[in-house]
Amino acid sequence: MPLLSQRVTFVLHRPDGSIRHLPADTVLAELPYSHHRAMLEAFFRPASLSGTPETERIRRPDARRWLWDRLQTLTGSTPVQVDIVWEALRIDPKTGALQAQPLDTLTLQRP
């Protein structure tokens, strides 16, 4: 039986057109690791996956300011857009083969 999980990646679109991928654990590293999944689901989960826009709390001004400041601290520049990409992971326990399937993306433009 395959192991199932989810992966969240922050895809930063820089002003120069380049793209950088950051794992969610890097973006949330200031918080205790045990809180990462709850934070992702409460603030960064697209409404299409949760059934409610309430989980897109990162769209609120204070939360967005935190995210942009955090990305500036991590990368030294502020992106013009960030895509928060959710994927379903399927891992074959016999072979270790990993398959990723896109679920949805929450896109934020720089204010």
Side-chain angles (χ1 to χ4, degrees), residues 5-10 23-24 37 40 84-89 98-101 103-104:
S5 186
Q6 291 183 348
R7 174 172 57 197
V8 179
T9 305
F10 288 71
R37 180 56 53 182
L40 288 169
I84 304 167
V85 180
W86 286 74
E87 297 174 291
L89 300 179
L98 175 69
Q99 294 177 327
Q101 176 182 359
L103 293 173
D104 201 359

Coordinates of all heavy atoms in Angstrom, one line a residue, residues 5-10 23-24 37 40 84-89 98-101 103-104:
S5 N 1.0 11.6 1.3 CA 1.3 12.8 2.1 C 1.0 14.0 1.2 O 0.6 13.9 0.1 CB 2.8 12.8 2.5 OG 3.1 13.9 3.3
Q6 N 1.3 15.2 1.7 CA 1.2 16.4 0.9 C 2.5 17.2 1.1 O 3.2 17.2 2.1 CB 0.0 17.3 1.3 CG -1.3 16.7 1.0 CD -2.5 17.6 1.4 OE1 -2.3 18.5 2.1 NE2 -3.6 17.2 0.9
R7 N 2.8 18.0 0.0 CA 4.0 18.9 0.0 C 3.5 20.3 -0.3 O 2.7 20.4 -1.3 CB 5.0 18.4 -0.9 CG 6.2 19.3 -1.1 CD 7.3 18.7 -1.9 NE 6.9 18.3 -3.3 CZ 7.6 17.4 -4.0 NH1 8.7 16.9 -3.6 NH2 7.1 17.1 -5.2
V8 N 4.1 21.3 0.3 CA 3.8 22.7 0.0 C 5.1 23.4 -0.3 O 6.1 23.3 0.4 CB 3.1 23.4 1.2 CG1 2.8 24.8 0.9 CG2 1.8 22.6 1.6
T9 N 5.1 24.0 -1.4 CA 6.3 24.8 -1.9 C 5.9 26.2 -2.2 O 4.9 26.5 -2.8 CB 6.9 24.1 -3.2 OG1 7.1 22.7 -2.9 CG2 8.2 24.8 -3.6
F10 N 6.8 27.1 -1.8 CA 6.6 28.6 -2.1 C 7.4 28.9 -3.3 O 8.6 28.7 -3.3 CB 7.0 29.4 -0.9 CG 6.1 29.3 0.3 CD1 6.0 28.2 1.0 CD2 5.2 30.4 0.6 CE1 5.1 28.1 2.1 CE2 4.4 30.4 1.7 CZ 4.3 29.2 2.4
P23 N 11.0 25.4 0.2 CA 10.1 24.5 0.9 C 9.4 25.2 2.0 O 9.9 26.2 2.6 CB 11.0 23.4 1.4 CG 12.4 23.8 1.0 CD 12.4 25.1 0.3
A24 N 8.2 24.8 2.3 CA 7.4 25.4 3.4 C 8.2 25.4 4.7 O 8.1 26.4 5.5 CB 6.1 24.7 3.6
R37 N 2.4 22.2 10.0 CA 1.3 21.7 9.2 C 0.0 22.5 9.6 O -0.8 22.9 8.7 CB 1.1 20.2 9.5 CG -0.1 19.6 8.8 CD -0.2 19.7 7.4 NE 1.0 19.2 6.7 CZ 1.2 19.2 5.4 NH1 0.3 19.7 4.6 NH2 2.3 18.8 4.8
L40 N 0.2 25.9 7.9 CA -0.1 25.8 6.4 C -1.6 25.6 6.1 O -2.1 26.3 5.2 CB 0.7 24.6 5.8 CG 2.2 24.8 5.7 CD1 2.9 23.5 5.4 CD2 2.6 25.9 4.7
I84 N 1.8 29.5 -3.8 CA 1.9 28.5 -2.7 C 1.3 27.3 -3.3 O 0.1 27.1 -3.5 CB 1.2 29.0 -1.5 CG1 1.8 30.4 -1.0 CG2 1.3 28.0 -0.3 CD1 0.9 31.1 0.0
V85 N 2.2 26.3 -3.7 CA 1.8 25.2 -4.5 C 1.6 24.0 -3.5 O 2.5 23.6 -2.8 CB 2.9 24.8 -5.5 CG1 2.5 23.6 -6.3 CG2 3.1 26.0 -6.4
W86 N 0.4 23.4 -3.6 CA 0.1 22.2 -2.9 C 0.1 21.0 -3.8 O -0.5 21.0 -4.9 CB -1.3 22.3 -2.2 CG -1.3 23.2 -1.1 CD1 -1.3 24.6 -1.1 CD2 -1.4 22.9 0.3 NE1 -1.3 25.1 0.1 CE2 -1.4 24.1 1.0 CE3 -1.5 21.7 1.0 CZ2 -1.5 24.1 2.4 CZ3 -1.6 21.7 2.3 CH2 -1.6 22.9 3.1
E87 N 0.8 19.9 -3.4 CA 0.9 18.7 -4.1 C 0.6 17.5 -3.3 O 0.9 17.5 -2.1 CB 2.3 18.5 -4.7 CG 2.8 19.5 -5.6 CD 4.2 19.3 -6.0 OE1 5.1 19.5 -5.1 OE2 4.5 19.0 -7.2
A88 N 0.0 16.5 -3.9 CA -0.2 15.2 -3.2 C 1.0 14.3 -3.5 O 1.4 14.3 -4.7 CB -1.5 14.5 -3.7
L89 N 1.5 13.7 -2.5 CA 2.7 12.8 -2.7 C 2.3 11.4 -2.5 O 1.5 11.1 -1.6 CB 3.8 13.1 -1.8 CG 4.4 14.5 -1.8 CD1 5.5 14.7 -0.8 CD2 4.9 14.8 -3.2
L98 N 8.7 8.2 -5.8 CA 7.9 9.3 -5.4 C 7.1 9.8 -6.6 O 7.8 10.1 -7.6 CB 8.7 10.4 -4.7 CG 8.0 11.7 -4.4 CD1 7.1 11.4 -3.2 CD2 9.0 12.7 -4.0
Q99 N 5.8 10.0 -6.4 CA 5.0 10.6 -7.5 C 4.3 11.8 -6.9 O 3.8 11.7 -5.8 CB 4.0 9.6 -8.0 CG 4.5 8.4 -8.7 CD 3.4 7.5 -9.2 OE1 2.3 7.4 -8.5 NE2 3.5 6.9 -10.3
A100 N 4.4 12.9 -7.5 CA 3.8 14.2 -7.1 C 2.7 14.6 -8.0 O 2.9 14.5 -9.2 CB 4.8 15.3 -6.9
Q101 N 1.5 14.9 -7.5 CA 0.4 15.3 -8.3 C -0.1 16.7 -7.8 O -0.4 16.8 -6.6 CB -0.7 14.3 -8.2 CG -2.0 14.7 -9.0 CD -3.1 13.7 -8.8 OE1 -3.0 12.7 -8.1 NE2 -4.2 14.0 -9.4
L103 N -2.3 19.7 -6.6 CA -3.6 19.8 -6.1 C -4.2 21.1 -6.4 O -5.3 21.2 -7.0 CB -3.6 19.5 -4.6 CG -3.2 18.1 -4.1 CD1 -3.1 18.1 -2.6 CD2 -4.3 17.1 -4.6
D104 N -3.5 22.2 -6.0 CA -4.0 23.6 -6.3 C -2.8 24.5 -5.9 O -1.9 24.1 -5.2 CB -5.2 23.9 -5.5 CG -6.0 25.1 -6.2 OD1 -5.5 25.6 -7.2 OD2 -7.1 25.4 -5.6

